Amino acid sequence: MSRVGKKPISIPSDVQVSIEGSKIVFKGSKLTKELETYHRVGISLKDSELTFLLNGENAQAKAYWGTYRALANNIVVGLTEGFTKQLEINGVGYKAAVKGKVLELMLGFSHPINYDIPEGVEISVDKNLVTIKGCDKQQIGQIAAEIREFRPPEPYKGKGVKYTDERIIRKAGKTSKK
């Protein structure tokens, strides 16, 4: 049984929620987000609390129950607080800069890498830290993963782009036998 699906979501006063058939519409101060459930779960809205109900007793229904509750909660948190990911750039000559709507990365290649910043996402650079902010958790994580993929950290010197909370397991280099 899903422990996530059981928990109700308390809706803050600055977010309005409406149910239109199998679609839940969340309206924040700046954005409107929709979550389509395709009638896979039941939806109930009472006294600024959103709850999800099971549609059946099979394993697939229970999986949908927890998944849609988590997706709805992420939308509510995104509209009120937002999400943040931080990347750290390590390496001699490795740097990043934001130029308009483009993140320019110098990662040891013969050319700079230009990453177009999507709409609704804010990227800032402070020395070797790249901070990605936005209201969509999946989009923020995807952008951070794409930027990290340009130059993943290598295990010998730790050079590359890594998450700030990521721990790189270092390998010992070659040693000479005497």
Side-chain angles (χ1 to χ4, degrees), residues 85-99:
K85 282 266 189 193
Q86 282 194 325
L87 297 169
E88 186 179 332
I89 299 175
N90 294 320
V92 177
Y94 290 13
K95 57 187 171 185
V98 176
K99 295 183 178 175

Side-chain angles (χ1 to χ4, degrees), residues 154-157 170-178:
E154 53 98 14
Y156 295 102
K157 291 185 179 178
R170 305 293 279 279
K171 292 182 179 179
K174 292 182 181 178
T175 58
S176 62
K177 291 187 178 182
K178 290 186 179 184

Side-chain angles (χ1 to χ4, degrees), residues 81-148:
E81 302 166 24
F83 292 100
T84 303
K85 282 266 189 193
Q86 282 194 325
L87 297 169
E88 186 179 332
I89 299 175
N90 294 320
V92 177
Y94 290 13
K95 57 187 171 185
V98 176
K99 295 183 178 175
K101 295 296 279 176
V102 174
L103 175 67
E104 186 178 77
L105 299 162
M106 299 295 285
L107 298 175
F109 298 114
S110 62
H111 60 283
I113 298 167
N114 293 324
Y115 185 83
D116 295 324
I117 301 172
E119 201 65 39
V121 175
E122 180 184 320
I123 296 180
S124 61
V125 177
D126 181 40
K127 294 183 183 175
N128 69 336
L129 285 180
V130 178
T131 305
I132 306 164
K133 295 179 185 175
C135 65
D136 189 350
K137 186 176 186 177
Q138 190 275 331
Q139 184 183 28
I140 297 302
Q142 183 66 37
I143 291 169
E146 288 172 2
I147 293 171
R148 182 185 181 276

Side-chain angles (χ1 to χ4, degrees), residues 23-100:
K23 188 188 298 182
I24 309 169
V25 180
F26 299 89
K27 289 183 183 174
S29 58
K30 299 175 186 171
L31 289 170
T32 300
K33 291 279 197 176
E34 295 179 353
L35 178 64
E36 177 64 58
T37 62
Y38 302 102
H39 299 286
R40 293 177 178 147
V41 291
I43 310 163
S44 171
L45 179 64
K46 290 182 188 169
D47 302 328
S48 73
E49 276 199 346
L50 185 65
T51 54
F52 290 88
L53 311 166
L54 271 170
N55 274 358
E57 285 296 321
N58 58 355
Q60 189 67 53
K62 291 176 185 177
Y64 283 137
W65 188 36
T67 300
Y68 281 115
R69 191 265 179 207
L71 290 173
N73 189 51
N74 286 343
I75 291 173
V76 171
V77 171
L79 289 175
T80 55
E81 302 166 24
F83 292 100
T84 303
K85 282 266 189 193
Q86 282 194 325
L87 297 169
E88 186 179 332
I89 299 175
N90 294 320
V92 177
Y94 290 13
K95 57 187 171 185
V98 176
K99 295 183 178 175

